[in-house]
Amino acid sequence: MAIPEKRNGLESSNLEDQRFWMDKDEVFHWLTVDGKNLEELWIRADRIRRDAVGESVHLRGLLEISNHCVRDCHYCGLRAGNQGLRRYRMTEEEILNGAHKAKVLGYGTVVIQAGEDPALSGEWVARLVRCIKEETGLAITLSLGERSLEELAVWKGAGADRYLLRFETSSKELFQRIHPPRSGTSGSDRIILLKNLRQLGYEVGSGVMVGIPGQSIRDLANDLDLFRSLDLDMIGIGPFLPHPDTPLGGYQFHAGQEPMGPDSQAPNSESMTYRMLALARLSCPQANIPSTTALAVVNLAEGKELGLQRGANVFMPNLTPVEYQRLYEIYPAKVHPEEQMARSRKCPEECIRAIGRTVGTGPGPAPSMARRLLD
Ligand code: 5AD
């Protein structure tokens, strides 16, 4: 039993007892209510964020180490079928330089992300993880797609701390429609994979896209239930952004028809993304939730800050060399990386301080992980 600790006048042990979560009707209310009436949701999400994970915003240095991918997901610009994309794979030296940069900048974590690239072999990644750990001591998050249990176990043993794999949608039918199985396989089950990651001792992250064609408001409500039943440590949420070189590329922006009901198409709008972010905070108070790059794409001026004020507590500054960033085009960026940096002027630390928060220090694990160890 944890010793209650005073924090903002609230005893932290109360957090477990408080019932933040809501019934389905209330979830539908927040997902469909007119955009002018969301202030209460933002306030609740922000308060619970503060009580459960505090005022620190953790910085994770993101390295997009390869844009090769063997999968053909219908929404993603890295899909194998996109033959117009020039492919790259960073060298071990480039990656280690990136990790050192994260360390120098004072970040506690480096995130190693790539398409599903079998050339990043189990052994090669294990060596990389060992080197990063030895040379920098940083927490290491891997996000390398659906990999075998053996590989995931070896990487954990080598020193990886966390793994990110979004389940994208809790609707099995929609998931299957947009994720053709790898040739020679019968399809994957990311939920089982996420449970296996937990068994292996990883901090487990997942998440969804908001507004996938064919995704209903009901599906979004079910996504939130799944976050909660998986007891996720990290949750990434971003709007679906059509990429022209993919089967879903012709889909138009969907603002949401009025009035919306549970069976309406989920809009891929900025508002719906914030609603999901805020509700994710209420469903998993102790999770680390990033304010995602996709949010900054839909609202360059203030998307990232609004994300932090509506439930998020993590930033993932991109430390990938700019010539590669341009090729890691999961979805089309409205502005190129160099221009984005020039236009957004403020560095992440300034953004964080400007909204009255503090810059996190150390690896910044999710409190849910510590709670689970005590249980
Ligand atoms: N729009 C928005 N998000 C996308 N992702 C991939 N393609 C797109 C897109 N077109 C997200 C997926 C994936 C993560 C790495 O990026 O959720 O898990």
Side-chain angles (χ1 to χ4, degrees):
M1 180 63 200
I3 299 166
E5 172 200 334
K6 285 272 183 200
R7 215 194 291 165
N8 298 322
L10 260 184
E11 296 199 342
S12 63
S13 62
N14 283 350
L15 287 172
E16 271 83 65
D17 302 330
Q18 281 172 33
R19 299 213 144 256
F20 297 119
W21 199 220
M22 23 179 104
D23 61 30
K24 268 268 158 69
D25 284 345
E26 200 181 345
V27 174
F28 284 138
H29 166 77
W30 289 120
L31 290 175
T32 57
V33 70
D34 188 285
K36 290 192 278 297
N37 300 323
L38 286 162
E39 204 52 36
E40 184 193 327
L41 179 63
W42 309 149
I43 291 170
R44 275 166 74 177
D46 199 44
R47 194 175 56 222
I48 287 164
R49 186 271 310 150
R50 186 194 65 208
D51 293 341
V53 295
E55 298 288 21
S56 299
V57 175
H58 296 289
L59 296 170
R60 321 296 200 198
L62 174 64
L63 292 170
E64 296 159 332
I65 67 168
S66 161
N67 70 350
H68 289 262
C69 192
V70 290
R71 305 301 293 265
D72 252 318
C73 307
H74 286 189
Y75 48 86
C76 182
L78 305 191
R79 67 200 306 270
N82 181 8
Q83 288 169 356
L85 181 65
R86 189 154 62 81
R87 305 283 171 167
Y88 73 89
R89 201 172 279 123
M90 284 170 67
T91 64
E92 199 174 321
E93 195 188 346
E94 287 172 320
I95 300 167
L96 284 168
N97 284 342
H100 282 287
K101 191 167 171 195
K103 176 92 178 168
V104 168
L105 289 167
Y107 303 171
T109 301
V110 68
V111 180
I112 304 291
Q113 188 166 82
E116 210 166 290
D117 178 4
L120 305 176
S121 72
E123 227 171 279
W124 186 87
V125 173
R127 200 178 60 235
L128 180 73
V129 167
R130 268 193 298 271
C131 285
I132 296 177
K133 215 34 162 204
E134 272 170 28
E135 292 187 18
T136 68
L138 293 174
I140 301 172
T141 304
L142 298 177
S143 181
L144 303 173
E146 296 173 16
R147 303 289 302 234
S148 74
L149 210 50
E150 291 72 31
E151 290 170 322
L152 297 169
V154 170
W155 299 342
K156 185 77 189 66
D161 302 277
R162 310 176 184 141
Y163 203 91
L164 298 174
L165 179 72
R166 291 192 184 175
F167 59 73
E168 315 294 358
T169 171
S170 55
S171 159
K172 282 210 160 63
E173 193 264 318
L174 177 58
F175 183 91
Q176 281 169 11
R177 208 179 326 141
I178 60 177
H179 295 98
R182 250 183 103 161
S183 54
T185 72
S186 58
S188 50
D189 190 328
R190 292 194 177 181
I191 309 307
I192 291 181
L193 224 157
L194 291 166
K195 290 180 179 164
N196 287 335
L197 286 164
R198 167 87 70 227
Q199 288 299 315
L200 288 171
Y202 281 96
E203 260 183 77
V204 179
S206 192
V208 294
M209 284 181 292
V210 174
I212 307 166
Q215 184 183 44
S216 65
I217 294 286
R218 192 185 305 282
D219 292 332
L220 294 183
N222 291 337
D223 293 347
L224 294 161
D225 280 340
L226 190 49
F227 293 161
R228 195 167 167 80
S229 65
L230 290 169
D231 192 14
L232 293 176
D233 303 304
M234 300 170 283
I235 305 176
I237 295 173
F240 160 69
L241 302 167
H243 186 301
D245 303 323
T246 64
L248 294 176
Y251 188 75
Q252 296 301 313
F253 170 74
H254 197 294
Q257 79 277 25
E258 301 295 339
M260 273 193 292
D263 296 310
S264 304
Q265 165 67 42
N268 56 338
S269 63
E270 190 184 351
S271 166
M272 191 54 73
T273 307
Y274 296 133
R275 295 175 201 226
M276 283 295 286
L277 203 69
L279 291 165
R281 172 59 66 201
L282 301 185
S283 79
C284 297
Q286 297 182 314
N288 280 328
I289 302 183
S291 187
T292 54
T293 319
L295 254 180
V297 169
V298 292
N299 182 349
L300 180 62
E302 52 182 5
K304 280 201 266 181
E305 286 86 344
L306 285 174
L308 289 179
Q309 290 169 320
R310 295 171 176 180
N313 69 320
V314 168
F315 255 178
M316 293 170 66
N318 199 334
L319 300 183
T320 311
V322 171
E323 71 267 28
Y324 296 136
Q325 265 184 55
R326 213 177 301 117
L327 299 172
Y328 202 82
E329 206 182 47
I330 291 175
Y331 43 77
K334 280 208 187 105
V335 285
H336 281 298
E338 295 98 330
E339 203 188 330
Q340 184 157 349
M341 276 183 233
R343 274 167 59 174
S344 64
R345 281 189 330 271
K346 280 188 263 171
C347 68
E349 288 85 349
E350 280 178 79
C351 282
I352 293 166
R353 290 191 202 102
I355 58 167
R357 305 268 280 278
T358 52
V359 178
T361 53
S368 49
M369 195 69 180
R371 187 237 311 137
R372 215 172 288 114
L373 291 174
L374 286 172
D375 281 349

